[in-house]
Amino acid sequence: MGRRYSPYLFFCSFLLCSSCMVASRHLGSSSSRKILLDNGLGLTPPMGWNSWNHFHCQINEKIVKETADALVSTGLAQLGYVYVNIDDCWGESKRDQQGNLVANKTTFPSGIKALADYVHSKGLKLGIYADAGLKTCTGKVAGSLGREEQDAKTFASWGVDYLKYDNCYNNDEKPTTRYKAMSVALKKTGRPIFFSMCEWGDMRPALWGADVGNSWRTTDDISDSWESMLKVADVNEMYADYAKPGGWNDPDMLEVGNGGMKYSEYVVHFSIWAISKAPLLLGCDVRSLSNETMQIISNEEVIAINQDSLGAQARKVRMEGQRDIWAGPLSGDRVVLLFVNRKPWKSSMTAHWDDIGIEPTNRAVEARDVWERRTLSEPFQDKLTADVDPHACKLYVLTSIP
């Protein structure tokens, strides 16, 4: 569904990354990191759950309620997973006599307002799905094109907190026009609603989305495979400079726990999304989490990287064959470092300070391995080297020692 990007753009992005990395360490002030969409939301990337990756159209209000319960009972809500987002297939294909969207009478018999009340009673937030076209992508629900103000009022009256706005059946109208119309309509309601633009990277929304939405899809849909995950991550990385508090690049929802990748590959997946300041929206069935899945999605130190107040997206600073070195600034003059080994065999990887934005200094640097949850015993100078298993990663937070 999404467009492909030129090799030239990717090459230019790579050439600029080292210089941008150093400069971005000084972007911590509120004046330099202006929040453009004035709805007060998305100061850090949203966290929660979305129904699509696991359930697709097989969704109903019972599943949504049980998911809200599970987010609370597992402790995930306390870690920040607060959005409970219903994707496509929640509504009827036709509007009511007043032209309003209505919930599917079979699968959501109580209606969305009652469901929102239930979710809110758990201390969570409810998200809904709509489309900037004539109907949603499955064709099962009426679209919002030309009905933006009416539908925005409906969502606000239901108590919706998050809108994922898709791009199908769009009548060949430009997304820059269609998405702005819904953004304006949401603002008119007076209710703060996180606006997630699912535009698939069609017209490179990172370049214009910050004054329209709180997040924007930079890529085609993800699927639950190693190859798809890395492909999506590569495209999303090209727009790192455009992410900031209030507006985030979105490489699609998490697949962790859906079974298509190995444990180490899911660790890579979650690590890249975390350092990329991507929305952390779980796409699995949180009512039946495995221990391995829970270990990944509940790692507070990795979540803290994603939710860091500086809001600077990390990017690849070196690409050595199938070995990627990612780095980015964190608050408190720290740096996040990620080694990703795409090879099918173990490989040694080295990050040099001048590549990752640590200014040359005689000071030693402390490295915290956030997946092993331990600080390495010996400090490092000038560089850090690690052996990385196949289809695996190493994730560190680096702090200069005074």
Side-chain angles (χ1 to χ4, degrees), residues 301 305 330-331 334-337 365-370 375 395-399:
E301 295 185 48
I305 293 169
L330 297 172
S331 61
R334 299 169 300 146
V335 171
V336 62
L337 169 65
V365 169
E366 178 183 270
R368 174 75 176 178
D369 186 323
V370 296
T375 301
L395 180 60
Y396 304 97
V397 170
L398 306 179
T399 307

Side-chain angles (χ1 to χ4, degrees), residues 10-26 237 240-241 313-319 325-329 335 351-360:
F10 185 84
F11 179 65
C12 290
S13 175
F14 175 64
L15 288 180
L16 289 171
C17 65
S18 293
S19 60
C20 290
M21 183 65 65
V22 176
S24 65
R25 297 186 73 205
H26 306 287
E237 187 267 345
D241 292 341
Q313 180 175 331
R315 62 187 312 159
K316 282 185 276 189
V317 297
R318 298 290 293 270
M319 294 176 290
I325 299 174
W326 300 64
V335 171
H352 297 270
W353 288 176
D354 58 349
D355 286 332
I356 66 174
I358 297 178
E359 298 176 1

